[in-house]
Amino acid sequence: MFDVRAVPQTRPQMRPGIERITPYKPGESQLPGHDRVIKLASNESALGASPRCIEAAQAALADAALYPDAGCAALRTALADHHGVAADQLVCAAGSEQLLSLLVRAYAGPGDEVLQSQHAFMVYRIAADAQGAHNVFAPERDARVDVDALLDRVSEKTRLVFVANPGNPTGTWIGRRALRRLRAGLPARVLLVIDGAYAEYPDDPDFTDGHDLVAEAIAAQADNVVVTRTFSKAYGLAGLRVGYLYGPPSVVDPLNRIREVFNVTAPSQAAALAALADQAHLAQTLAHNRREIDRLSGFLADRGYKVSPSGANFLLVHFDTAERAQAADAHLREQGIIVRPVAGYGLPQCLRVTVGAEADNDALMTALDAF
């Protein structure tokens, strides 16, 4: 019998699966030859954080020598009041991305499957690969999650199903009935994760952020639905990294066991509390996004571009070919404008464009007209 111990190991060996990971590439912030760039690549808030958030974070720095509250008690209490849920049904982390990774760590490993849609947020596949789990992809229909395709690919090995609603990088979303049908069609042993990073943006009555599904599951003692949310997008706190999960205590408990102890800094907690308290700033942000996304969508449609309907703070713009999309990206970069190519998501003929400030959107439209 072959004895693996007889083979000399010249270096420590990483876990299987990690070699499959392509590191996540954040949106760029600088361009050679441009002192100022217009960054429309990272879906950051066009209006930024509330001034009250900045003040609160600065005040918290006075106690920088002290560890933050490990359980984010004040923030969880405020979130519980805001959403009408119990504080023990919430767990906070350094952005919702950390929670997505924790969920895979807690529920999937080698031999297990993590199911997601064709153009799903890349962090899902990275988290699965890091744990040695197998990624399974269901095709989308016109850049929109297809519930039937997801259900068709559920197997005995499926442990988690990730659905971003609205999706990234597509911006599309599925309605309340479709999301309920997905949950109803999943085995009780499969955890449905609804990624609500952009859930503040849709204003359609058919949209649900998923909190009602979680509440119903908890009431029915069916602990297989959670929702992740973030302060990075609509609240404008991307640089401070605050996210939270709403779910059954039976899911919150293992996440608290494996997360880093002091995973949300004191300034971040203070800023998030201030953000929740300033709903007027959030309303201004959402109103700006609705106005500007309509303006950009109309401009692009008038010039013959196909644009996926978006419930987020960005647009997925389709070009005739991948080469045309690359040419448009190169042209915009020459003008000092950074958007996001999404070939890594299987959309080489598309560019994702964040809704920026009014002047930045004007510059984008001028540059596209020149292109």
Side-chain angles (χ1 to χ4, degrees), residues 43-45 95-96 230-243:
N43 302 340
E44 294 154 334
S45 170
S96 58
T230 184
F231 284 89
S232 295
K233 306 303 181 185
Y235 284 105
L237 298 183
L240 290 179
R241 314 306 302 130
V242 190

Side-chain angles (χ1 to χ4, degrees), residues 43-51 53 200-201 231-237 275 278-293 312-313 355-357 361:
N43 302 340
E44 294 154 334
S45 170
L47 300 190
S50 160
C53 296
E200 288 85 3
Y201 291 102
F231 284 89
S232 295
K233 306 303 181 185
Y235 284 105
L237 298 183
D278 194 352
Q279 290 296 304
H281 182 80
L282 175 64
Q284 292 172 0
T285 298
L286 299 181
H288 170 87
N289 188 74
R290 283 191 292 271
R291 182 175 64 251
E292 290 298 296
I293 210 166
N313 66 337
V355 175
N361 297 334

Side-chain angles (χ1 to χ4, degrees), residues 7-366:
V7 179
Q9 299 289 337
T10 59
R11 62 177 64 88
Q13 299 298 301
M14 65 184 176
R15 289 181 48 148
I18 295 178
E19 76 282 356
R20 297 196 298 267
I21 296 174
T22 300
Y24 184 82
K25 183 180 179 181
E28 298 175 76
S29 299
Q30 297 179 335
L31 287 174
H34 294 275
D35 294 332
R36 178 186 179 273
V37 300
I38 296 174
K39 184 183 178 187
L40 302 176
S42 298
N43 302 340
E44 294 154 334
S45 170
L47 300 190
S50 160
R52 293 166 63 174
C53 296
I54 308 301
E55 294 172 5
Q58 289 174 336
L61 288 173
D63 292 324
L66 305 179
Y67 284 107
D69 174 11
C72 298
L75 179 55
R76 286 191 300 112
T77 298
L79 285 167
D81 291 342
H82 180 72
H83 290 294
V85 303
D88 66 355
Q89 297 166 348
L90 298 164
V91 58
C92 297
S96 58
E97 178 183 342
Q98 186 177 71
L99 290 160
L100 300 172
S101 296
L102 287 171
L103 285 163
V104 178
R105 280 180 58 192
Y107 289 97
D112 295 330
E113 293 179 350
V114 175
L115 178 58
Q116 59 209 273
S117 61
Q118 180 180 2
H119 305 303
F121 185 37
M122 200 169 292
V123 165
Y124 310 153
R125 70 187 78 172
I126 292 175
D129 283 338
Q131 299 306 313
H134 180 60
N135 284 293
V136 177
F137 299 93
E140 295 184 359
R141 183 175 299 177
D142 197 20
R144 192 184 299 273
V145 169
D146 186 330
V147 169
D148 292 319
L150 282 171
L151 292 174
D152 286 345
R153 283 156 181 79
V154 174
S155 76
E156 290 297 320
K157 297 180 180 180
T158 306
R159 297 293 175 266
L160 299 106
V161 176
F162 282 103
V163 173
N165 205 37
N168 176 23
T170 63
T172 58
W173 52 272
I174 58 175
R176 189 182 310 271
R177 180 179 298 179
L179 203 54
R180 287 182 181 278
R181 187 162 64 84
L182 173 60
R183 191 218 156 205
L186 292 174
R189 59 177 172 77
V190 175
L191 182 61
L192 173 60
V193 181
I194 302 170
D195 179 356
Y198 300 92
E200 288 85 3
Y201 291 102
D203 58 357
D204 191 300
D206 187 42
F207 176 80
T208 174
D209 59 14
H211 283 243
D212 52 342
L213 274 72
V214 177
E216 291 166 7
I218 292 173
Q221 298 183 334
D223 298 349
N224 62 342
V225 188
V226 299
V227 170
T228 60
R229 301 290 295 269
T230 184
F231 284 89
S232 295
K233 306 303 181 185
Y235 284 105
L237 298 183
L240 290 179
R241 314 306 302 130
V242 190
Y244 60 98
L245 176 145
Y246 167 46
S250 62
V251 178
V252 169
D253 176 69
L255 299 184
N256 277 323
R257 292 174 186 269
I258 63 175
R259 67 174 174 82
E260 291 81 358
V261 177
F262 302 106
N263 63 336
V264 184
T265 69
S268 297
Q269 292 184 43
L273 277 167
L276 273 181
D278 194 352
Q279 290 296 304
H281 182 80
L282 175 64
Q284 292 172 0
T285 298
L286 299 181
H288 170 87
N289 188 74
R290 283 191 292 271
R291 182 175 64 251
E292 290 298 296
I293 210 166
D294 287 345
R295 191 164 71 98
L296 281 172
S297 296
F299 165 86
L300 292 164
D302 287 346
R303 281 146 184 82
Y305 292 99
K306 177 186 174 184
V307 181
S308 293
S310 177
N313 66 337
F314 59 85
L315 291 170
L316 185 69
V317 185
H318 300 251
F319 293 80
D320 292 337
T321 64
E323 292 74 21
R324 190 68 173 160
Q326 292 168 8
D329 182 41
H331 171 77
L332 291 173
R333 291 168 68 91
E334 290 173 358
Q335 307 305 310
I337 301 172
I338 305 175
V339 296
R340 188 63 177 265
V342 285
Y345 288 93
L347 294 163
Q349 77 285 9
C350 296
L351 296 175
R352 192 191 70 189
V353 180
T354 302
V355 175
E358 184 175 347
D360 293 341
N361 297 334
D362 287 341
L364 171 71
M365 291 186 286
T366 298

